[in-house]
Amino acid sequence: MLRAMARLVKIEHSVFALPFAYIGLFVAAGGWPGWRILLLLTLAMVAMRSFAMAVNRLADLRYDRENPRTANRELVTGEVTMRQAWLFTVGCAVVFVAACWGLNRLCLALAPVALVWGAFYSLTKRFTWLCHFVLGSVLGLAPVAGWLAVDPHFTLPAILFGCGVTFWTAGFDVLYACQDVDFDRAQGLSSMPVHFGLGTALHLSAFAHVDAALFFLLAGYAAGLGPIYYLGWAISGLLLVEHRLIAEDDLSRINVAFFTLNGVVAALLCLAAVAAVFVGR
């Protein structure tokens, strides 16, 4: 059952948010933050992402049953029951709040806000094509959360990193949504591909990634990170490769663009930021 639950929430996709949380953590700490904060932040991030994904699966169940692409998801096949999914969702929320409580008072106070916002995303595709940016803002909380875990103050570098993640996530979520444009249109669901068409949506996705790269550049400057970080930032050019892989009439390589390249970008940017922190000490 645990394996099925892990597949349900795609636990491996934590690679998208965790590196950015670690960027906020290590940059705010100016070095090693200590095992306690690192482990609590990791626990909070995994719990929060699993909570949001479980809510998304529950909210989208009736659509997943109709969509051929999602017909083998665990809730649809019955491998995971509704009761199990709800218990898992509540459990993740409890773990998240407990981890925030272990960090500091500000993190605890903001925990309910994060949970509500993470759950809200699943409803936005019912009424706005900006749903991709709502999802982006959920993941955009990651570097801010990492910063607040060690320094409970809102700062410019944390906010800029958060904006970068918001646009980065929105950009690749638009690409992912291109797979379901016909289904979403038939079901009355909203997305950029539905609202603007595939061609324009692909251009808007590329524009979002250009914005993301600029925010990451500004964040590194605001945080006082050195040349090592800027070398890692240059790897964000891989996002351009992502857009070369996908065309309006060829979405066959969407999984390579969505998971592989974005995971690489997140991990390498994190390594560059952490390395810059330690070299600059």
Side-chain angles (χ1 to χ4, degrees):
M1 198 274 284
L2 290 177
R3 288 183 180 179
M5 200 66 73
R7 291 196 302 273
L8 177 74
V9 299
K10 292 189 177 295
I11 195 71
E12 69 275 9
H13 285 190
S14 296
V15 71
F16 292 148
L18 270 176
F20 292 107
Y22 292 153
I23 288 176
L25 179 66
F26 279 88
V27 173
W32 177 247
W35 281 110
R36 185 185 70 84
I37 294 180
L38 179 65
L39 292 175
L40 283 172
L41 176 66
T42 302
L43 183 62
M45 291 301 302
V46 173
M48 176 62 199
R49 195 210 153 274
S50 298
F51 164 85
M53 182 61 81
V55 170
N56 180 262
R57 292 291 187 257
L58 288 162
D60 283 356
L61 180 56
R62 73 183 183 93
Y63 298 112
D64 288 345
R65 285 176 174 149
E66 301 295 329
N67 189 341
R69 187 180 66 81
T70 59
N72 63 343
R73 285 181 175 171
E74 290 71 19
L75 272 175
V76 177
T77 63
E79 191 174 0
V80 174
T81 66
M82 291 284 288
R83 180 175 182 275
Q84 289 170 336
W86 276 113
L87 287 174
F88 178 80
T89 302
V90 173
C92 287
V94 171
V95 170
F96 174 70
V97 172
C100 290
W101 174 76
L103 288 169
N104 55 59
R105 290 182 179 179
L106 181 58
C107 289
L108 178 60
L110 293 175
V113 178
L115 288 171
V116 170
W117 193 245
F120 174 66
Y121 154 70
S122 296
L123 304 178
T124 55
K125 65 185 73 174
R126 272 82 166 164
F127 59 87
T128 178
W129 52 265
L130 291 171
C131 54
H132 314 286
F133 288 92
V134 178
L135 173 62
S137 68
V138 175
L139 268 72
L141 296 175
V144 179
W147 195 287
L148 295 179
V150 69
D151 177 18
H153 300 89
F154 289 97
T155 64
L156 181 60
I159 293 171
L160 289 172
F161 274 119
C163 290
V165 176
T166 296
F167 279 87
W168 172 71
T169 304
F172 70 67
D173 191 58
V174 170
L175 296 180
Y176 195 70
C178 288
Q179 299 176 103
D180 294 328
V181 61
D182 293 331
F183 176 83
D184 289 347
R185 185 176 288 119
Q187 296 291 325
L189 296 173
S190 297
S191 71
M192 280 192 174
V194 169
H195 189 80
F196 296 104
L198 284 178
T200 301
L202 291 175
H203 288 305
L204 290 172
S205 172
F207 181 71
H209 281 158
V210 170
D211 288 340
L214 291 174
F215 275 119
F216 288 142
L217 180 64
L218 292 172
Y221 177 78
L225 300 179
I228 292 178
Y229 173 78
Y230 296 115
L231 179 61
W233 171 82
I235 296 171
S236 63
L238 283 173
L239 293 176
L240 299 179
V241 176
E242 176 178 52
H243 292 279
R244 300 280 293 181
L245 290 174
I246 301 171
E248 185 175 353
D249 57 352
D250 183 11
L251 302 176
S252 61
R253 290 174 288 186
I254 196 78
N255 285 328
V256 175
F258 174 73
F259 185 77
T260 306
L261 284 179
N262 282 287
V264 168
V265 168
L268 291 180
L269 196 65
C270 174
L271 289 174
V274 172
V277 168
F278 280 100
V279 170
R281 288 182 66 184

